[in-house]
Amino acid sequence: FDEIRAAGYVGGYTQVKDDVRRVRPAPAPDPIVRFETPPGHQAQVDFAEFRLPWGKRYALLVVLGYSRLMWLQFYTRQTMAVLISALEEAFAFFGGVPAELLFDQMKSVIIEDEREIGGKLLENAEFMRFAAHWDFRIRACRPYRAKTKGKVERPIGYVRESFFYGRHFLNDADLNAQALSWLERTANARTHRTIAEVPRVRFERNERVLLKPLALRPYRSLVLAATPVAASRLSYPAVAVERRPLASYDRLVRVAR
């Protein structure tokens, strides 16, 4: 700036910065490398928040990396107990278990991640026991690298646009029933643009047989409270209320006097 002023420039420093910004070549963006995984190897998992007239609900989305077969249900909370129960439902839906599950920095799975500074990844001990029970490995995206989990990040937007917006839901049970119907008729039956195949067809042909077998029984935690169920499964016992005519209360009042 001092040099151009010496050469006769009488403008301000801000104007120089704006002019330089316009003519300076922009750096080339980092290339996006698509990571494809072999059949049965990986599923990507994430929660997403949705708002309904009766409150917030959390969609858990599980996507098989090879076939893009998708599973989706909605829950009232996003605790570890909910995650464990939901993943067992997803495994039953797929008919097997992938070799590894990839999570974002989900607090119920990852306690601390210091890999960016040469440290280690610390997983939740209870979730590690759950993973051992179902025989899958835990993997976590590095912080601020959401592109590594694109197979589930992009479908969240797809769920909002294709399923959630523009529909009417009566209650939680109807929400989850419609989600399962949408998976069967639309999400898993369309031609996926990236793989140029129908997820269900690709799954049945190449992936189902390579999933690990289901566990013989659900995981039983010695730490967590009773495992909650999906929002649609919530039920409450009916309370019997005795009904009396008003005259009976008049008699009680007279006796008390």
Side-chain angles (χ1 to χ4, degrees), residues 1 4-5 9-22:
F1 181 68
I4 63 173
R5 289 191 65 179
Y9 176 69
V10 294
Y13 180 67
T14 301
Q15 182 63 44
V16 173
K17 288 198 303 182
D18 292 342
D19 291 340
V20 170
R21 188 179 297 113
R22 282 195 294 269

Side-chain angles (χ1 to χ4, degrees), residues 55-71:
K56 289 190 294 186
R57 291 297 181 262
Y58 301 96
L60 185 70
L61 193 62
V62 184
V63 181
L64 293 178
Y66 172 78
S67 64
R68 303 313 202 267
L69 194 72
M70 185 188 306
W71 177 88

Side-chain angles (χ1 to χ4, degrees), residues 220-234:
R220 293 288 180 255
S221 173
L222 299 178
V223 178
L224 302 175
T227 305
V229 294
S232 61
R233 288 36 154 203
L234 294 176

